[in-house]
Short mmCIF file of all heavy atoms in Angstrom, two decimals:
data_model
loop_
_atom_site.label_atom_id
_atom_site.label_comp_id
_atom_site.label_asym_id
_atom_site.label_seq_id
_atom_site.Cartn_x
_atom_site.Cartn_y
_atom_site.Cartn_z
N THR M 334 -12.65 -1.77 36.47
CA THR M 334 -11.32 -2.35 36.40
C THR M 334 -11.32 -3.64 35.61
O THR M 334 -10.29 -4.13 35.21
CB THR M 334 -10.80 -2.66 37.81
OG1 THR M 334 -11.83 -3.41 38.47
CG2 THR M 334 -10.57 -1.38 38.57
N GLY M 335 -12.48 -4.18 35.43
CA GLY M 335 -12.48 -5.46 34.72
C GLY M 335 -12.35 -5.32 33.22
O GLY M 335 -12.12 -6.28 32.52
N ALA M 336 -12.52 -4.14 32.75
CA ALA M 336 -12.53 -4.00 31.29
C ALA M 336 -11.14 -4.20 30.72
O ALA M 336 -10.15 -3.92 31.35
CB ALA M 336 -13.04 -2.61 30.92
N GLU M 337 -11.15 -4.70 29.51
CA GLU M 337 -9.86 -5.07 28.89
C GLU M 337 -8.84 -3.97 28.86
O GLU M 337 -7.88 -3.94 29.57
CB GLU M 337 -10.12 -5.48 27.44
CG GLU M 337 -10.65 -6.85 27.29
CD GLU M 337 -10.96 -7.06 25.82
OE1 GLU M 337 -10.27 -6.45 25.00
OE2 GLU M 337 -11.88 -7.81 25.56
N ASN M 338 -9.05 -3.09 27.89
CA ASN M 338 -8.04 -2.06 27.73
C ASN M 338 -8.49 -0.77 28.33
O ASN M 338 -8.15 0.30 27.88
CB ASN M 338 -7.75 -1.83 26.25
CG ASN M 338 -7.06 -3.02 25.68
OD1 ASN M 338 -6.50 -3.81 26.42
ND2 ASN M 338 -7.12 -3.16 24.38
N ALA M 339 -9.30 -0.85 29.33
CA ALA M 339 -9.85 0.38 29.90
C ALA M 339 -8.73 1.25 30.40
O ALA M 339 -7.76 0.77 30.97
CB ALA M 339 -10.78 0.03 31.04
N SER M 340 -8.88 2.48 30.15
CA SER M 340 -7.93 3.39 30.73
C SER M 340 -8.37 3.59 32.15
O SER M 340 -9.35 4.26 32.43
CB SER M 340 -7.96 4.71 29.97
OG SER M 340 -7.46 5.71 30.80
N ALA M 341 -7.69 3.00 33.04
CA ALA M 341 -8.16 3.01 34.40
C ALA M 341 -8.02 4.37 35.03
O ALA M 341 -8.50 4.61 36.12
CB ALA M 341 -7.36 1.99 35.20
N HIS M 342 -7.39 5.22 34.32
CA HIS M 342 -7.14 6.51 34.93
C HIS M 342 -7.99 7.60 34.31
O HIS M 342 -7.78 8.75 34.57
CB HIS M 342 -5.67 6.86 34.78
CG HIS M 342 -4.84 5.65 34.99
ND1 HIS M 342 -4.67 5.09 36.22
CD2 HIS M 342 -4.22 4.84 34.13
CE1 HIS M 342 -3.94 3.99 36.11
NE2 HIS M 342 -3.66 3.81 34.86
N THR M 343 -8.86 7.18 33.48
CA THR M 343 -9.65 8.20 32.83
C THR M 343 -10.86 8.52 33.64
O THR M 343 -11.59 7.63 34.03
CB THR M 343 -10.13 7.68 31.46
OG1 THR M 343 -9.01 7.29 30.72
CG2 THR M 343 -10.88 8.76 30.74
N LYS M 344 -11.05 9.74 33.85
CA LYS M 344 -12.31 10.11 34.47
C LYS M 344 -13.03 10.95 33.46
O LYS M 344 -12.51 11.94 32.99
CB LYS M 344 -12.04 10.87 35.75
CG LYS M 344 -11.40 9.93 36.73
CD LYS M 344 -10.92 10.57 37.93
CE LYS M 344 -10.28 9.42 38.72
NZ LYS M 344 -9.49 9.71 39.75
N ILE M 345 -14.15 10.54 33.18
CA ILE M 345 -14.79 11.13 32.02
C ILE M 345 -15.82 12.14 32.44
O ILE M 345 -16.75 11.84 33.15
CB ILE M 345 -15.41 10.04 31.16
CG1 ILE M 345 -14.27 9.14 30.70
CG2 ILE M 345 -16.14 10.63 29.99
CD1 ILE M 345 -14.71 7.91 30.07
N TRP M 346 -15.63 13.30 31.97
CA TRP M 346 -16.48 14.40 32.36
C TRP M 346 -17.31 14.88 31.22
O TRP M 346 -18.02 15.84 31.32
CB TRP M 346 -15.61 15.59 32.75
CG TRP M 346 -14.62 15.29 33.79
CD1 TRP M 346 -13.61 14.40 33.74
CD2 TRP M 346 -14.56 15.90 35.06
NE1 TRP M 346 -12.90 14.42 34.89
CE2 TRP M 346 -13.44 15.32 35.72
CE3 TRP M 346 -15.32 16.86 35.70
CZ2 TRP M 346 -13.10 15.71 37.00
CZ3 TRP M 346 -14.95 17.24 36.96
CH2 TRP M 346 -13.84 16.65 37.61
N SER M 347 -17.13 14.20 30.16
CA SER M 347 -17.58 14.76 28.91
C SER M 347 -19.01 15.22 28.93
O SER M 347 -19.34 16.26 28.43
CB SER M 347 -17.42 13.73 27.84
OG SER M 347 -18.01 12.55 28.32
N ASP M 348 -19.85 14.40 29.46
CA ASP M 348 -21.26 14.72 29.36
C ASP M 348 -21.60 16.00 30.08
O ASP M 348 -22.63 16.61 29.84
CB ASP M 348 -22.09 13.59 29.94
CG ASP M 348 -21.62 13.29 31.34
OD1 ASP M 348 -20.43 12.95 31.46
OD2 ASP M 348 -22.42 13.41 32.27
N LEU M 349 -20.72 16.40 30.93
CA LEU M 349 -21.03 17.59 31.68
C LEU M 349 -20.65 18.84 30.94
O LEU M 349 -21.14 19.91 31.19
CB LEU M 349 -20.27 17.57 33.02
CG LEU M 349 -20.50 16.28 33.81
CD1 LEU M 349 -19.57 16.25 34.99
CD2 LEU M 349 -21.93 16.19 34.24
N THR M 350 -19.79 18.69 30.02
CA THR M 350 -19.19 19.85 29.39
C THR M 350 -20.18 20.79 28.75
O THR M 350 -20.35 21.91 29.16
CB THR M 350 -18.26 19.42 28.26
OG1 THR M 350 -17.44 18.42 28.72
CG2 THR M 350 -17.50 20.61 27.77
N GLY M 351 -20.75 20.30 27.70
CA GLY M 351 -21.45 21.22 26.83
C GLY M 351 -22.64 21.87 27.48
O GLY M 351 -22.92 23.04 27.28
N THR M 352 -23.35 21.10 28.22
CA THR M 352 -24.61 21.60 28.76
C THR M 352 -24.44 22.88 29.53
O THR M 352 -24.97 23.93 29.19
CB THR M 352 -25.19 20.58 29.75
OG1 THR M 352 -25.04 19.33 29.18
CG2 THR M 352 -26.62 20.93 30.02
N ALA M 353 -23.70 22.75 30.56
CA ALA M 353 -23.54 23.92 31.40
C ALA M 353 -22.89 25.02 30.60
O ALA M 353 -23.27 26.17 30.70
CB ALA M 353 -22.69 23.55 32.61
N ALA M 354 -21.99 24.65 29.80
CA ALA M 354 -21.31 25.68 29.01
C ALA M 354 -22.30 26.41 28.15
O ALA M 354 -22.28 27.61 28.01
CB ALA M 354 -20.24 25.02 28.16
N ARG M 355 -23.15 25.62 27.59
CA ARG M 355 -24.10 26.25 26.68
C ARG M 355 -25.00 27.22 27.39
O ARG M 355 -25.41 28.23 26.85
CB ARG M 355 -24.94 25.15 26.04
CG ARG M 355 -25.63 25.52 24.80
CD ARG M 355 -26.62 24.46 24.50
NE ARG M 355 -25.93 23.23 24.14
CZ ARG M 355 -25.77 22.83 22.89
NH1 ARG M 355 -26.23 23.53 21.94
NH2 ARG M 355 -25.13 21.73 22.64
N ASN M 356 -25.29 26.84 28.59
CA ASN M 356 -26.31 27.64 29.26
C ASN M 356 -25.76 28.78 30.07
O ASN M 356 -26.50 29.57 30.59
CB ASN M 356 -27.12 26.74 30.18
CG ASN M 356 -27.89 25.74 29.35
OD1 ASN M 356 -28.32 26.08 28.26
ND2 ASN M 356 -28.04 24.54 29.86
#
Side-chain angles (χ1 to χ4, degrees):
Chain M
T334 51
E337 281 175 30
N338 291 341
S340 158
H342 320 288
T343 304
K344 293 172 182 166
I345 298 170
W346 305 62
S347 50
D348 54 300
L349 307 172
T350 312
T352 317
R355 200 193 291 260
N356 295 326

